[in-house]
Amino acid sequence: MAAYTLYYWPTIQGRGELVRLALEAAAVPYEDVGRRGDGADFGAVAEVLERAGVSRVPFAPPVLEAEGRLLAQTANILLYLGPRHGLAPDDEAGRLWVNQLQLTLADWVVEIHDTHHPLGPSLYYEDQRDEAARRAGVFHAYRLPKYLGYFERVLAGAPDGGPYLAGAQPTYADLSLFQVIAGLRYAFPRALAALEPEHGRVGALHDRVRALPAVADLLGVGTPHRASTRTASSATTRSSTRAKRPSLADRALLPWRRSQRSPISPRPKVTPSMVKLTPTP
């Protein structure tokens, strides 16, 4: 029987993938509702937002059902899972620090999303192309280096020399940073290629997390390692979920991926006319 039930949209990764990574790294059985059965089940995911008799109503997916409760907001879900499954430090100060890093990553994800949907998700990319170009220019020039520099600094000062954000062991924040960097490498390859040599610790963390057995298994690289340790129910739950996942080539944060309807524009050249406002500090 699955210990957890995850509700998230089946055809994108987005914020829900950060929760999936933690569940996979913890090797706990879970049911991925949107990806069960023979195809994508949007209705089952939407149902949890309208469930009768729930007073603490979630606003939007991802939602995790655990111990009879519905938990929403990615950082909140990970704050719950981390201490229970060895993905957070044992001490309160360490847990608060990892949560702080996760909230910073959430801010970063919003800024990345806004490079192609600065006026909001209700409009297609083509309807906000000019605004997106200007926003992307500011992001490439100021915000991307600022976030990369921050996490490079965190890794440089990690306890015991790292190699992870909070010290010697990976946390859910490391898993999320891996996913963000994977998405950026896919969506903005030239920008990352130009900046990563100056932020070697961040790139090395991405590669280190990608090589973790549970993550490599999830991505379909290397040799699956958990077959002998899974229960029958957990194997069924995970295998049915994984069968419908994108290929490794597509495993970036899919809200940023290129598509026929909403393509990602090339990195624009930053000019004074594009950057008229003082960037957010």
Side-chain angles (χ1 to χ4, degrees):
M1 180 178 179
Y4 301 110
T5 304
L6 175 65
Y7 298 85
Y8 194 70
W9 309 120
T11 55
I12 64 172
Q13 293 184 21
R15 294 172 177 86
E17 190 69 7
L18 307 183
V19 179
R20 290 185 184 115
L21 279 169
L23 291 168
E24 290 285 343
V28 294
Y30 69 98
E31 182 179 12
D32 200 339
V33 169
R35 292 175 173 174
R36 68 187 177 190
D38 297 329
D41 194 344
F42 287 90
V45 176
E47 177 275 331
V48 77
L49 306 179
E50 305 293 337
R51 185 178 295 181
V54 177
S55 58
R56 296 174 178 175
V57 183
F59 178 72
V63 176
L64 187 75
E65 190 165 6
E67 299 178 317
R69 293 176 288 184
L70 295 179
L71 305 174
Q73 294 291 348
T74 302
N76 192 43
I77 294 170
L78 295 174
L79 181 65
Y80 170 86
L81 291 173
R84 288 167 170 78
H85 299 291
L87 294 173
D90 295 330
D91 62 298
E92 182 182 31
R95 291 193 298 272
L96 290 172
W97 170 236
V98 171
N99 182 55
Q100 179 177 319
L101 293 172
Q102 188 67 40
L103 291 167
T104 304
L105 286 163
D107 292 340
W108 195 2
V109 168
V110 170
E111 293 200 36
I112 296 165
H113 172 271
D114 287 351
T115 62
H116 58 89
H117 279 73
L119 301 183
S122 60
L123 298 175
Y124 286 114
Y125 168 75
E126 290 86 346
D127 300 323
Q128 47 191 312
R129 187 187 297 268
D130 292 342
E131 293 86 352
R134 184 180 177 194
R135 182 63 179 261
V138 175
F139 177 78
H140 289 153
Y142 298 104
R143 305 303 290 165
L144 180 56
K146 188 175 183 70
Y147 278 106
L148 287 171
Y150 172 74
F151 282 101
E152 184 76 9
R153 180 181 173 190
V154 169
L155 286 165
D160 302 320
Y164 296 101
L165 291 166
Q169 298 299 321
T171 68
Y172 60 80
D174 295 282
L175 298 171
S176 295
L177 181 55
F178 154 78
Q179 181 72 2
V180 170
I181 297 301
L184 287 167
R185 285 179 174 179
Y186 182 86
F188 305 116
R190 287 179 293 172
L192 263 290
L195 289 169
E196 282 202 69
E198 303 172 21
H199 304 91
R201 292 181 178 86
V202 173
L205 182 133
H206 166 278
D207 298 343
R208 187 175 297 111
V209 170
R210 188 176 184 271
L212 292 173
V215 177
D217 187 3
L218 175 64
L219 298 179
V221 296
T223 302
H225 71 289
R226 289 200 309 266
S228 62
T229 61
R230 294 177 184 167
T231 64
S233 60
S234 67
T236 300
T237 300
R238 286 201 188 88
S239 62
S240 63
T241 296
R242 187 176 293 113
K244 292 181 281 298
R245 284 180 170 153
S247 66
L248 179 60
D250 288 333
R251 293 197 66 81
L253 290 181
L254 294 188
W256 313 336
R257 70 176 296 180
R258 298 170 177 84
S259 68
Q260 291 182 343
R261 188 64 186 89
S262 183
I264 301 294
S265 65
R267 178 183 178 183
K269 181 179 180 181
V270 180
T271 65
S273 63
M274 292 170 61
V275 188
K276 295 179 181 178
L277 301 178
T278 302
T280 304

